[in-house]
mmCIF file of all heavy atoms in Angstrom:
data_model
loop_
_atom_site.group_PDB
_atom_site.id
_atom_site.type_symbol
_atom_site.label_atom_id
_atom_site.label_comp_id
_atom_site.label_asym_id
_atom_site.label_seq_id
_atom_site.Cartn_x
_atom_site.Cartn_y
_atom_site.Cartn_z
ATOM 1 N N PHE A 18 1.085 20.445 -14.312
ATOM 2 C CA PHE A 18 0.560 20.830 -15.623
ATOM 3 C C PHE A 18 -0.648 21.764 -15.460
ATOM 4 O O PHE A 18 -0.866 22.642 -16.298
ATOM 5 C CB PHE A 18 0.187 19.585 -16.429
ATOM 6 C CG PHE A 18 1.380 18.923 -17.064
ATOM 7 C CD1 PHE A 18 1.953 17.796 -16.508
ATOM 8 C CD2 PHE A 18 1.956 19.454 -18.211
ATOM 9 C CE1 PHE A 18 3.068 17.195 -17.072
ATOM 10 C CE2 PHE A 18 3.071 18.867 -18.790
ATOM 11 C CZ PHE A 18 3.624 17.731 -18.217
ATOM 12 N N THR A 32 -3.463 27.928 -24.327
ATOM 13 C CA THR A 32 -2.939 26.773 -23.583
ATOM 14 C C THR A 32 -2.998 25.489 -24.407
ATOM 15 O O THR A 32 -2.043 24.698 -24.427
ATOM 16 C CB THR A 32 -3.747 26.590 -22.281
ATOM 17 O OG1 THR A 32 -3.709 27.812 -21.539
ATOM 18 C CG2 THR A 32 -3.163 25.480 -21.436
ATOM 19 N N GLY A 33 -4.113 25.297 -25.092
ATOM 20 C CA GLY A 33 -4.263 24.089 -25.899
ATOM 21 C C GLY A 33 -3.220 24.005 -26.995
ATOM 22 O O GLY A 33 -2.665 22.923 -27.255
ATOM 23 N N ALA A 34 -2.936 25.143 -27.632
ATOM 24 C CA ALA A 34 -1.947 25.135 -28.715
ATOM 25 C C ALA A 34 -0.549 24.817 -28.188
ATOM 26 O O ALA A 34 0.229 24.096 -28.828
ATOM 27 C CB ALA A 34 -1.945 26.495 -29.415
ATOM 28 N N VAL A 35 -0.226 25.338 -26.993
ATOM 29 C CA VAL A 35 1.105 25.095 -26.419
ATOM 30 C C VAL A 35 1.291 23.614 -26.096
ATOM 31 O O VAL A 35 2.291 22.987 -26.478
ATOM 32 C CB VAL A 35 1.303 25.959 -25.155
ATOM 33 C CG1 VAL A 35 2.600 25.564 -24.452
ATOM 34 C CG2 VAL A 35 1.330 27.441 -25.512
ATOM 35 N N PHE A 36 0.310 23.040 -25.401
ATOM 36 C CA PHE A 36 0.450 21.627 -25.024
ATOM 37 C C PHE A 36 0.348 20.708 -26.241
ATOM 38 O O PHE A 36 0.959 19.643 -26.280
ATOM 39 C CB PHE A 36 -0.582 21.263 -23.963
ATOM 40 C CG PHE A 36 -0.237 21.774 -22.590
ATOM 41 C CD1 PHE A 36 -1.038 22.680 -21.937
ATOM 42 C CD2 PHE A 36 0.925 21.347 -21.958
ATOM 43 C CE1 PHE A 36 -0.707 23.160 -20.681
ATOM 44 C CE2 PHE A 36 1.269 21.811 -20.702
ATOM 45 C CZ PHE A 36 0.450 22.730 -20.064
ATOM 46 N N SER A 37 -0.435 21.122 -27.232
ATOM 47 C CA SER A 37 -0.518 20.328 -28.457
ATOM 48 C C SER A 37 0.829 20.321 -29.184
ATOM 49 O O SER A 37 1.280 19.277 -29.670
ATOM 50 C CB SER A 37 -1.609 20.902 -29.365
ATOM 51 O OG SER A 37 -1.632 20.212 -30.592
ATOM 52 N N ALA A 38 1.474 21.502 -29.230
ATOM 53 C CA ALA A 38 2.797 21.575 -29.870
ATOM 54 C C ALA A 38 3.817 20.744 -29.104
ATOM 55 O O ALA A 38 4.667 20.061 -29.697
ATOM 56 C CB ALA A 38 3.242 23.035 -29.943
ATOM 57 N N LEU A 39 3.722 20.785 -27.776
ATOM 58 C CA LEU A 39 4.645 19.998 -26.947
ATOM 59 C C LEU A 39 4.460 18.505 -27.198
ATOM 60 O O LEU A 39 5.440 17.750 -27.350
ATOM 61 C CB LEU A 39 4.406 20.330 -25.475
ATOM 62 C CG LEU A 39 5.336 19.676 -24.445
ATOM 63 C CD1 LEU A 39 6.780 20.090 -24.680
ATOM 64 C CD2 LEU A 39 4.913 20.032 -23.030
ATOM 65 N N LEU A 40 3.201 18.079 -27.280
ATOM 66 C CA LEU A 40 2.917 16.659 -27.508
ATOM 67 C C LEU A 40 3.361 16.228 -28.903
ATOM 68 O O LEU A 40 3.978 15.160 -29.069
ATOM 69 C CB LEU A 40 1.412 16.415 -27.334
ATOM 70 C CG LEU A 40 0.950 14.962 -27.470
ATOM 71 C CD1 LEU A 40 1.617 14.092 -26.411
ATOM 72 C CD2 LEU A 40 -0.572 14.864 -27.344
ATOM 73 N N ASN A 41 3.067 17.057 -29.898
ATOM 74 C CA ASN A 41 3.481 16.704 -31.259
ATOM 75 C C ASN A 41 4.988 16.700 -31.397
ATOM 76 O O ASN A 41 5.558 15.877 -32.123
ATOM 77 C CB ASN A 41 2.876 17.698 -32.259
ATOM 78 C CG ASN A 41 1.409 17.422 -32.515
ATOM 79 O OD1 ASN A 41 0.979 16.278 -32.461
ATOM 80 N ND2 ASN A 41 0.638 18.473 -32.768
ATOM 81 N N GLY A 42 5.653 17.631 -30.700
ATOM 82 C CA GLY A 42 7.116 17.678 -30.770
ATOM 83 C C GLY A 42 7.773 16.471 -30.135
ATOM 84 O O GLY A 42 8.881 16.081 -30.504
ATOM 85 N N ALA A 43 7.086 15.880 -29.163
ATOM 86 C CA ALA A 43 7.675 14.732 -28.458
ATOM 87 C C ALA A 43 7.250 13.392 -29.038
ATOM 88 O O ALA A 43 8.006 12.411 -28.956
ATOM 89 C CB ALA A 43 7.282 14.787 -26.988
ATOM 90 N N ALA A 44 6.033 13.333 -29.617
ATOM 91 C CA ALA A 44 5.523 12.029 -30.065
ATOM 92 C C ALA A 44 4.656 12.153 -31.312
ATOM 93 O O ALA A 44 3.785 11.319 -31.533
ATOM 94 C CB ALA A 44 4.713 11.377 -28.932
ATOM 95 N N GLY A 45 4.904 13.186 -32.136
ATOM 96 C CA GLY A 45 4.062 13.406 -33.304
ATOM 97 C C GLY A 45 4.233 12.365 -34.390
ATOM 98 O O GLY A 45 3.296 12.059 -35.125
ATOM 99 N N ASP A 46 5.421 11.812 -34.514
ATOM 100 C CA ASP A 46 5.676 10.767 -35.509
ATOM 101 C C ASP A 46 6.852 9.922 -35.023
ATOM 102 O O ASP A 46 7.389 10.144 -33.925
ATOM 103 C CB ASP A 46 5.955 11.387 -36.891
ATOM 104 C CG ASP A 46 7.066 12.421 -36.839
ATOM 105 O OD1 ASP A 46 8.021 12.242 -36.056
ATOM 106 O OD2 ASP A 46 6.981 13.425 -37.561
ATOM 107 N N ARG A 49 10.107 11.840 -34.097
ATOM 108 C CA ARG A 49 10.048 12.573 -32.833
ATOM 109 C C ARG A 49 10.062 11.599 -31.642
ATOM 110 O O ARG A 49 10.649 11.900 -30.596
ATOM 111 C CB ARG A 49 8.805 13.459 -32.795
ATOM 112 C CG ARG A 49 8.873 14.623 -33.795
ATOM 113 C CD ARG A 49 7.652 15.515 -33.703
ATOM 114 N NE ARG A 49 7.774 16.698 -34.534
ATOM 115 C CZ ARG A 49 7.423 16.774 -35.805
ATOM 116 N NH1 ARG A 49 6.887 15.703 -36.389
ATOM 117 N NH2 ARG A 49 7.582 17.881 -36.498
ATOM 118 N N LEU A 50 9.421 10.462 -31.810
ATOM 119 C CA LEU A 50 9.483 9.459 -30.746
ATOM 120 C C LEU A 50 10.923 8.981 -30.533
ATOM 121 O O LEU A 50 11.362 8.775 -29.398
ATOM 122 C CB LEU A 50 8.587 8.267 -31.103
ATOM 123 C CG LEU A 50 7.103 8.395 -30.750
ATOM 124 C CD1 LEU A 50 6.334 7.199 -31.302
ATOM 125 C CD2 LEU A 50 6.916 8.482 -29.240
ATOM 126 N N THR A 53 12.735 11.523 -28.576
ATOM 127 C CA THR A 53 12.385 11.429 -27.150
ATOM 128 C C THR A 53 13.212 10.348 -26.469
ATOM 129 O O THR A 53 13.733 10.543 -25.361
ATOM 130 C CB THR A 53 10.880 11.124 -27.002
ATOM 131 O OG1 THR A 53 10.136 12.255 -27.454
ATOM 132 C CG2 THR A 53 10.519 10.848 -25.555
ATOM 133 N N LEU A 293 9.376 10.848 -19.430
ATOM 134 C CA LEU A 293 8.619 12.099 -19.362
ATOM 135 C C LEU A 293 9.534 13.308 -19.591
ATOM 136 O O LEU A 293 9.233 14.183 -20.415
ATOM 137 C CB LEU A 293 7.939 12.216 -17.999
ATOM 138 C CG LEU A 293 7.299 13.573 -17.708
ATOM 139 C CD1 LEU A 293 6.127 13.836 -18.649
ATOM 140 C CD2 LEU A 293 6.840 13.665 -16.251
ATOM 141 N N ALA A 296 10.722 13.488 -23.096
ATOM 142 C CA ALA A 296 9.678 14.007 -23.986
ATOM 143 C C ALA A 296 9.588 15.527 -23.889
ATOM 144 O O ALA A 296 9.400 16.215 -24.901
ATOM 145 C CB ALA A 296 8.334 13.364 -23.624
ATOM 146 N N LEU A 297 9.725 16.053 -22.674
ATOM 147 C CA LEU A 297 9.702 17.505 -22.507
ATOM 148 C C LEU A 297 10.869 18.157 -23.248
ATOM 149 O O LEU A 297 10.711 19.186 -23.904
ATOM 150 C CB LEU A 297 9.756 17.860 -21.013
ATOM 151 C CG LEU A 297 8.511 17.533 -20.183
ATOM 152 C CD1 LEU A 297 8.772 17.794 -18.695
ATOM 153 C CD2 LEU A 297 7.326 18.341 -20.660
ATOM 154 N N ALA A 299 12.509 16.882 -25.811
ATOM 155 C CA ALA A 299 12.327 16.718 -27.257
ATOM 156 C C ALA A 299 11.269 17.668 -27.806
ATOM 157 O O ALA A 299 11.359 18.120 -28.953
ATOM 158 C CB ALA A 299 11.952 15.261 -27.573
ATOM 159 N N GLY A 300 10.265 17.976 -26.982
ATOM 160 C CA GLY A 300 9.186 18.841 -27.453
ATOM 161 C C GLY A 300 9.435 20.316 -27.244
ATOM 162 O O GLY A 300 8.627 21.150 -27.677
ATOM 163 N N SER A 301 10.540 20.658 -26.589
ATOM 164 C CA SER A 301 10.796 22.061 -26.257
ATOM 165 C C SER A 301 10.947 22.925 -27.512
ATOM 166 O O SER A 301 10.510 24.079 -27.543
ATOM 167 C CB SER A 301 12.039 22.181 -25.376
ATOM 168 O OG SER A 301 13.177 21.703 -26.068
ATOM 169 N N ALA A 303 9.520 22.463 -30.386
ATOM 170 C CA ALA A 303 8.242 22.603 -31.090
ATOM 171 C C ALA A 303 7.392 23.722 -30.500
ATOM 172 O O ALA A 303 6.722 24.448 -31.237
ATOM 173 C CB ALA A 303 7.473 21.283 -31.047
ATOM 174 N N ILE A 304 7.401 23.873 -29.166
ATOM 175 C CA ILE A 304 6.557 24.925 -28.574
ATOM 176 C C ILE A 304 7.079 26.314 -28.949
ATOM 177 O O ILE A 304 6.311 27.256 -29.047
ATOM 178 C CB ILE A 304 6.459 24.780 -27.047
ATOM 179 C CG1 ILE A 304 7.835 24.883 -26.384
ATOM 180 C CG2 ILE A 304 5.784 23.496 -26.666
ATOM 181 C CD1 ILE A 304 7.751 24.906 -24.870
#
Side-chain angles (χ1 to χ4, degrees):
F18 280 101
T32 305
V35 172
F36 284 117
S37 176
L39 184 61
L40 183 61
N41 283 329
D46 54 35
R49 292 182 174 88
L50 276 174
T53 293
L293 171 66
L297 290 174
S301 62
I304 60 173

